[in-house]
Amino acid sequence: MKKFELFVEGRKGVLSDWSVYCVKGEDREKFFQGQTTNDLMSLNPNEFALNARVDRTGKIQFFFLNIKTSNELYLAFPKSIAQSAIEELDKFIIMDDVEIEALDKNLYFTFLTTEASDNKFEGMLYGVPATLSFEEIDKESKEISNEEIEYLCVENGWPRWGVDITAGDLINNTRLNDLGISYTKGCFLGQETVAKIENGRGASFYPSFLTSPSVQKLEIGVFKINDRKGGEVISKIGNVAMVKLFREFRIDHKSFIVTQNEESFELSFNSYSKELSKDVFAHDLYLYGVSQFQAEKEDLAIATLSKVIKIAPNYSDAYESLGVIYGRQEKFELGIELMDKLLSVNEESVMAHTNKSLYLMRLGKIEEAEEEKGLATLKSFAEFGKIAKEKKAKEELDKQKEEEIIQRESMFKQVLEIDADDTIANFGMGDVYFHRKEYSMAKTHLERVIAVDAKYSTAYSLLGKTLEVLGEKEEAKRIYTKGIEVASAKGELMPANEMQARLVKL
């Protein structure tokens, strides 16, 4: 992905179009916890996150970056809405000890760093791990361009005021629903409305990601799927676009015929990640680094894996992979250094001692190599013991599960004696037989469910899996196709996406 290519060499910038405010007073955290959508209390000191304020009907008034320190809060708003946002907040500061003061300062940012301190704040910016500061952090990195920021926002679904988010938008229909709301923190203004929508069918139209050469032919605005409004192109750059997509069509990797201005394109859409976090980014960056190594681009792989370690110092696989590359390049001292760091984050690593032994042997340090080999053997035995314990625990768990299944089976059979068409009992029996690998029996019950209730989406999913095992691949395809149609029409996107994934494999 382009976002990884951009940041291996580093990027920095300044939030010049944002206004910054400082909040002081003993009640500052309590006030913002009750007035805004995200969980301020879960933020550690010197971290920042997206936050928003909605009205009682769940419609967005503004969004902002919330920066938390031990002694104050900082708020950063897009300049176009900053004044109105502060005026709205001031209306509700009545008895609280809260004081909001404008600051004549810029916020600088650097990507892929982990430098939180009293003057540096960690979080996700444009979907990338970043450090914010009131002073320039890194004078060496290249300045990020507006085009690169736009690309990141589209690729990661990062919200932008006036582009994909405006005042009056229902927050459930925006990426802030994933990135700027906590549904577990307790009450906030508008919480009852947004929770009711979230727990129901969710947003009718919601941001999705599109990547295709056809993006260049699409225009900003509405497009149709199946002769109805399928969605709307919100923003695009190059071959990628952010679209707001109707719920029935939010099925990853499923192809649709999209029509706009009497031109038609066959396109498939992808859901944005529900979470943009440092750990998720580090994992994806690690996979990118490994792919560069497999492509024999070792220098790029080294630079990438070094970045992984910088943003996620406990990512043990990155140390091991980087050490292996150095060993391949016969940089054995560096390889040993990486294996020692691996042991500092995972002292049980067998491969750390194994690789270290190999590198010491190549350096002619035979005695030290034998010592590491012995430690590798010792830890291998410990690993075998751990595996044996895990196997025994699994056997106990399987035994408990079988006892539960016997109880469920008895209950379902009693229900079916009274009503042979009961869909819940038939589905339950199908699940029981599937678990026991009695697939023909599972098929009979699941087909009964669908015959009685053609909209029982999870029955299609389990029946499709059953048919796959029975070798009835064409029938499985038919069932998945119908099941996807049923589930998407009901807004049940989890079973729809699962069935689509299996259908693609078939």
Side-chain angles (χ1 to χ4, degrees), residues 450 454 460 476-487 499:
I450 293 170
Y460 287 96
K477 290 180 187 178
R478 188 186 72 81
I479 288 296
Y480 284 141
T481 301
K482 180 62 178 175
I484 291 165
E485 180 185 324
V486 167
M499 286 186 278

Side-chain angles (χ1 to χ4, degrees), residues 38-80:
N38 217 341
D39 188 0
L40 182 61
M41 298 301 183
S42 70
L43 270 187
N44 294 317
N46 303 315
E47 288 184 343
F48 70 90
L50 276 171
N51 206 340
R53 193 172 193 279
V54 298
D55 63 18
R56 297 188 184 279
T57 65
K59 292 180 179 178
I60 297 171
Q61 295 180 319
F62 53 82
F63 78 84
F64 60 106
L65 292 174
N66 221 149
I67 303 168
K68 180 177 177 179
T69 75
S70 299
N71 301 313
E72 59 265 309
L73 298 175
Y74 294 107
L75 317 175
F77 300 91
K79 280 188 176 178
S80 61

Side-chain angles (χ1 to χ4, degrees), residues 143-379:
E143 200 80 25
I144 193 167
S145 68
N146 290 333
E147 183 181 1
E148 288 170 338
I149 290 174
E150 185 179 1
Y151 190 95
L152 285 177
C153 290
V154 174
E155 188 173 70
N156 292 317
W158 189 262
R160 288 171 292 168
W161 192 262
V163 179
D164 54 297
I165 293 182
T166 57
D169 288 342
L170 192 64
I171 197 169
N172 303 80
N173 295 348
T174 74
R175 278 286 278 160
L176 288 171
N177 191 61
D178 289 331
L179 308 178
I181 291 184
S182 168
Y183 284 101
T184 59
K185 73 161 188 169
C187 292
F188 56 85
L189 188 68
Q191 185 255 358
E192 184 177 351
T193 301
V194 298
K196 187 180 293 184
I197 295 170
E198 176 70 7
N199 295 330
R201 298 183 69 188
S204 296
F205 288 87
Y206 196 74
S208 291
F209 179 62
L210 172 62
T211 176
S212 167
S214 296
V215 165
Q216 296 181 25
K217 298 179 183 179
L218 291 171
E219 296 180 3
I220 302 298
V222 172
F223 57 81
K224 290 186 176 182
I225 299 176
N226 298 341
D227 293 324
R228 57 159 297 170
K229 181 182 176 181
E232 183 178 359
V233 179
I234 302 299
S235 57
K236 65 174 190 169
I237 182 169
N239 289 343
V240 298
M242 179 193 293
V243 303
K244 280 198 174 179
L245 197 61
F246 186 61
R247 67 163 67 89
E248 286 187 24
F249 310 123
R250 292 202 299 272
I251 304 168
D252 291 351
H253 310 299
K254 179 176 171 60
S255 293
F256 298 98
I257 302 299
V258 170
T259 302
Q260 189 186 63
N261 297 332
E262 299 183 354
E263 278 197 83
S264 295
F265 314 91
E266 185 174 353
L267 298 172
S268 61
F269 305 92
N270 295 312
S271 299
Y272 282 115
S273 172
K274 281 193 165 292
E275 179 187 12
L276 293 177
S277 69
K278 182 173 70 175
D279 290 342
V280 171
F281 188 95
H283 177 67
D284 291 342
L285 186 61
Y286 168 76
L287 295 178
Y288 174 77
V290 171
S291 73
Q292 298 311 299
F293 173 63
Q294 292 168 340
E296 299 187 356
K297 298 178 181 178
E298 291 186 358
D299 289 345
L300 183 54
I302 288 171
T304 303
L305 294 169
S306 298
K307 286 289 186 182
V308 174
I309 290 168
K310 190 169 186 179
I311 62 174
N314 292 324
Y315 202 118
S316 58
D317 285 349
Y319 290 102
E320 183 178 332
S321 298
L322 187 54
V324 166
I325 295 173
Y326 283 137
R328 176 171 164 161
Q329 294 182 341
E330 299 189 356
K331 298 176 180 177
F332 301 120
E333 296 287 359
L334 287 174
I336 291 168
E337 183 181 331
L338 264 294
M339 293 307 112
D340 285 336
K341 289 180 178 178
L342 170 56
L343 288 168
S344 72
V345 299
N346 179 15
E347 61 183 16
E348 297 178 357
S349 173
V350 176
M351 288 307 300
H353 290 294
T354 302
N355 288 328
K356 195 174 176 184
S357 173
L358 176 63
Y359 300 158
L360 287 165
M361 185 75 71
R362 295 292 300 275
L363 289 169
K365 300 179 179 181
I366 309 302
E367 188 174 327
E368 292 176 58
E370 288 297 327
E371 183 180 345
E372 291 297 329
K373 185 178 179 181
L375 289 170
T377 302
L378 186 64
K379 288 187 178 179

